[in-house]
């Protein structure tokens, strides 16, 4: 009896090729599908009674080798207890109970386990439909399509609104009604007007607007995608800073809570710049300078835009549009900008909060690691737009953006980890300031132990951004290394009281909102005192002029004039903020 041989690699490749050819045949696939359906339904299959065509489809030509034929028999489905089809003339069973011996034409013997055969012919439970057919679509980059929206009904409503206007043409004053007909927030009127070409012609015809809005509804299925589509440049699926200028200029021109700004048009750009920076500070979590639909959905910007229509007092919208917050930021910048060229250098920034910030941290801010203006690094000057980010981050170190801001500054080598060397580098400045104040500084080793206990990093000796975001006392960590005034304030508090404050602290107002409210009251009181002491005195350092009404609530009315002849705001363009 010839000894069994193993298939050679080349021969096995041929066997696989023949099997794949047979399996890809249309008749074979059709037959296997029919058998599979019968197996699922639990019906009996008699392979010995098939018609001639089926037998022909399941058999190989005599010229094919025996190994391929046995492979075919293994692949053929059959229920348990069903006799298999008779072996071909070229193969004979060995009579063994444990295995089946197959002798090929060349005397070569192949063995196939009977237990394997029984496992293959075992009746299986019906399997469900393929997963690829049952998984519903879950990725909608332009929003999930709404099944209940009727575009034709909406277009009819828009056409009815246009019919009220002369020649069915809408001006910017009419776009508020059109926006409501489109079921959009009122202050979307300027983006709708511009996308339909109204900024070029001064009006929008009904046909052009309907064509534009129908296409928008067909491609954009949620408010975030629609808003990006309305404001973005052609071909862009994101928003840059200058995309918001026409939209916010319309808000300044038409919102009742900003009517006082009509008396000082030169400050429109300052307010708009502040709002844009706050939008990107809170919404653009990727730090790319490009707001995507996904980022917009995760933010509360669209909700605040809708509230603009309902809220007459913009100071209630503290996340983005508060005039009082703008007033505080701009006054703080004006105090530091001694030459009033609308830029500050390192010496100017060092005066902030009575020189509380360390010099090494100031150098890091001017290194360009957290600023977008190219002039910061090249010319050593910080613009007003970048100052907005600095001040909000400095006064509220608990938000994700501020934690990322200061982490970038402290990460000297940019490896995503604050090493002990980097912490010591910044702590040296704190020690020098403490010695100047005749205060004995805590040794760095002791300070380091305290900070590691405070943060509890996942990897010993390495503090990551994730560690600081997870830590509820990140503001204490940052102040310890570069803000001497706040560091001393924390040191004078009972550590347990700090923890209790964090646990019981109300989330109604953020640290930034508390700071802005306090500073606004101080600034307003100072202005009122100056006016009462000397009505004829013109203060060249006041950014908002000689008169400010300080009443709160419905009686509040803001009024200011351009105070200083040393600064011509007409020369300051929007583009300076968005380089």
């Amino acid at each position: 009896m010839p000894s069994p041989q193993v298939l050679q690699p080349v021969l096995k490749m041929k066997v696989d090729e023949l099997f794949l050819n047979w399996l890809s045949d249309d008749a074979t696939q059709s037959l296997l599908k029919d058998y599979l359906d019968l197996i699922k339904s639990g019906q009996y299959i008699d392979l010995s009674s098939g018609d001639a065509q089926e037998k022909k489809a399941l058999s190989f030509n005599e010229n094919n080798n025996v190994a391929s034929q046995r492979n075919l028999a293994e692949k053929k489905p059959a229920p348990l207890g069903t006799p298999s089809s008779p072996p071909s003339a070229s193969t004979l069973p060995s009579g063994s109970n444990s295995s089946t011996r197959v002798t090929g034409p060349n005397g070569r013997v192949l063995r196939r386990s009977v237990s394997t055969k029984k496992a293959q012919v075992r009746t299986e439970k019906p399997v469900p439909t393929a997963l690829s057919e049952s998984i519903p679509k879950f990725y909608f980059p332009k929003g999930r399509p709404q099944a209940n929206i009727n575009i034709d009904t909406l277009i009819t409503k828009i056409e009815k609104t246009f019919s009220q206007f002369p020649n069915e043409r809408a001006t910017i004053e009419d776009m508020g009604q059109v926006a409501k007909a489109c079921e959009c927030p009122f202050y979307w009127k300027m983006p709708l007007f511009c996308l339909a070409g109204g900024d070029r012609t001064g009006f929008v015809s009904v046909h052009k607007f309907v064509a534009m809005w129908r296409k928008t509804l067909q491609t954009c299925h949620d408010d975030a995608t629609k808003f990006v589509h309305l404001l973005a440049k052609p071909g862009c699926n994101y928003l840059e800073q200058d995309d918001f200028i026409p939209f916010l200029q319309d808000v300044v021109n038409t919102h009742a809570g900003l009517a006082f700004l009509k008396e000082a048009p030169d400050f429109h750009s300052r307010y708009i710049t502040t709002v844009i920076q706050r939008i990107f500070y809170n919404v653009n979590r990727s730090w790319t300078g490009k707001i995507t639909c996904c980022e917009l959905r995760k933010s509360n910007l669209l909700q605040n835009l809708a509230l603009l229509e309902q809220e007459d007092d913009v100071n209630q919208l503290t996340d983005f549009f508060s005039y009082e917050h703008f007033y505080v930021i701009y006054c703080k910048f004006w105090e530091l900008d001694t030459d009033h060229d609308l830029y500050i250098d390192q010496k100017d920034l060092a005066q902030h909060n009575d020189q509380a910030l360390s010099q090494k941290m100031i150098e890091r801010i001017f290194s360009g690691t957290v600023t977008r203006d190219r002039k910061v690094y090249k010319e050593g000057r910080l613009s007003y737009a970048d100052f907005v980010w600095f001040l909000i981050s400095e006064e509220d170190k608990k938000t994700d953006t501020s934690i990322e801001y200061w982490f970038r500054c402290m990460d000297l080598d940019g490896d995503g980890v604050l090493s002990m060397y980097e912490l010591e580098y910044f702590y040296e400045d704190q020690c020098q300031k403490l010695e100047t104040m005749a205060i004995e500084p805590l040794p760095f080793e002791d300070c380091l132990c305290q900070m590691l206990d405070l943060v509890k990093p996942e990897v010993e000796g390495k503090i990551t951004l994730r560690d600081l975001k997870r830590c509820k006392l990140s503001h204490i960590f940052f102040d310890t290394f570069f803000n001497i005034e706040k560091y001393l304030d924390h040191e004078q508090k009972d550590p347990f009281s700090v923890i209790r404050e964090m646990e019981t602290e109300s989330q109604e107002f953020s640290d930034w909102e508390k700071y802005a409210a306090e500073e606004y009251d101080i600034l307003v009181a100072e202005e009122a005192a100056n006016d009462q002491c000397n009505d004829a005195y013109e203060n060249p350092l006041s950014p908002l002029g000689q008169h400010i009404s300080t009443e709160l609530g419905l009686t509040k009315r803001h009024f200011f004039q351009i105070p200083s002849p040393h600064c011509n705001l007409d020369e300051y363009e929007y583009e300076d903020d968005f380089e």
Side-chain angles (χ1 to χ4, degrees), residues 413-444:
D413 53 8
D415 63 348
V417 174
L418 298 184
S419 64
M420 303 305 102
Y421 163 77
E422 289 165 332
L423 298 183
E424 185 177 17
Y425 173 80
F426 287 102
Y427 190 69
E428 288 174 352
D429 259 16
Q430 296 290 75
C431 292
Q432 293 177 6
K433 285 191 174 185
L434 289 172
E435 292 172 353
T436 304
M437 300 168 64
I439 300 176
E440 183 179 359
L442 189 69
F444 174 70

Side-chain angles (χ1 to χ4, degrees), residues 483-497:
N483 191 305
I484 193 66
E485 295 294 335
K486 294 183 179 179
Y487 167 66
L488 293 176
D489 290 341
H490 296 317
E491 286 294 305
Q492 294 172 2
K493 292 182 179 179
D494 179 16
F496 296 100
S497 67

Side-chain angles (χ1 to χ4, degrees), residues 430-537:
Q430 296 290 75
C431 292
Q432 293 177 6
K433 285 191 174 185
L434 289 172
E435 292 172 353
T436 304
M437 300 168 64
I439 300 176
E440 183 179 359
L442 189 69
F444 174 70
E445 291 76 10
D446 296 339
C447 175
L448 182 61
C449 290
Q450 291 183 1
M451 292 300 103
L452 292 178
D453 290 340
L454 184 79
V455 178
K456 294 181 176 61
E458 293 181 353
V459 179
E460 184 178 357
K462 295 182 179 180
I463 298 177
T464 64
L465 181 61
R466 179 179 177 180
D467 295 329
L468 291 173
K469 286 185 176 181
R470 190 182 65 252
C471 173
K472 294 183 179 180
L473 301 174
S474 58
H475 59 292
I476 297 179
F477 173 84
F478 288 125
D479 291 335
T480 300
F481 291 102
F482 55 78
N483 191 305
I484 193 66
E485 295 294 335
K486 294 183 179 179
Y487 167 66
L488 293 176
D489 290 341
H490 296 317
E491 286 294 305
Q492 294 172 2
K493 292 182 179 179
D494 179 16
F496 296 100
S497 67
V498 175
I499 297 177
R500 287 194 297 269
E501 288 177 4
M502 292 299 300
E503 293 176 349
T504 60
E505 185 181 24
S506 173
Q507 298 298 323
E508 184 177 359
F509 299 103
S510 65
D511 285 356
W512 164 250
E513 291 172 338
K514 296 175 184 176
Y515 168 82
E518 294 173 0
E519 289 296 322
Y520 181 78
D521 291 340
I522 293 173
L523 291 170
V524 165
E526 290 176 353
E527 290 288 345
N530 290 338
D531 291 341
Q532 292 176 359
C533 293
N534 189 358
D535 292 337
Y537 175 71

Side-chain angles (χ1 to χ4, degrees), residues 241 273-287 289 291 295 299-300 319-320 329 370 372 385-406 510 512:
Q241 294 192 5
T273 297
T274 305
V275 174
I276 290 176
Q277 297 309 314
R278 298 195 67 185
I279 288 174
F280 274 78
Y281 186 91
N282 290 286
V283 180
N284 186 213
R285 301 295 304 115
S286 60
W287 285 69
I291 294 178
E295 290 178 328
S299 72
N300 63 344
D319 289 338
F320 305 103
I329 297 172
V370 290
R372 302 192 184 281
D386 289 319
F387 180 79
V388 174
W389 283 63
F390 161 77
L391 187 61
I392 297 177
S393 299
E394 167 61 15
E395 299 304 332
D396 189 354
K397 297 185 176 73
K398 298 177 183 178
T399 65
D400 286 347
T401 304
S402 63
I403 294 174
E404 293 167 3
Y405 186 97
W406 296 118
S510 65
W512 164 250

Side-chain angles (χ1 to χ4, degrees), residues 365-366 368 371 373-382 386:
I365 294 173
F366 278 82
T371 55
D373 194 341
R374 295 186 298 271
K375 295 180 181 178
V376 176
Y377 180 71
K378 293 182 179 179
E379 304 178 11
R381 302 193 303 170
L382 196 72
D386 289 319

Side-chain angles (χ1 to χ4, degrees), residues 111-180:
R111 294 180 180 270
R112 180 168 57 87
S113 173
V114 174
S115 60
T116 305
K117 178 180 178 181
K118 291 182 179 180
Q120 290 177 344
V121 300
R122 183 180 56 190
T123 303
E124 298 180 357
K125 297 180 180 180
V127 296
T129 312
L131 293 179
S132 60
E133 299 178 6
S134 61
I135 295 179
K137 182 178 180 181
F138 58 87
Y139 179 59
F140 301 94
K142 294 190 176 182
R144 182 184 294 272
Q146 301 178 14
N148 58 348
I149 187 173
N150 192 326
I151 296 180
D152 293 334
T153 302
L154 199 58
I155 294 300
T156 302
K157 185 178 178 181
I158 295 173
E159 292 174 342
K160 184 178 180 180
T161 303
F162 267 88
S163 64
Q164 305 173 11
F165 309 138
N167 299 324
E168 294 188 337
R169 293 178 175 180
T171 62
I172 185 59
E173 290 77 13
D174 303 322
M175 288 303 296
Q177 302 179 47
V178 177
K180 301 308 293 183

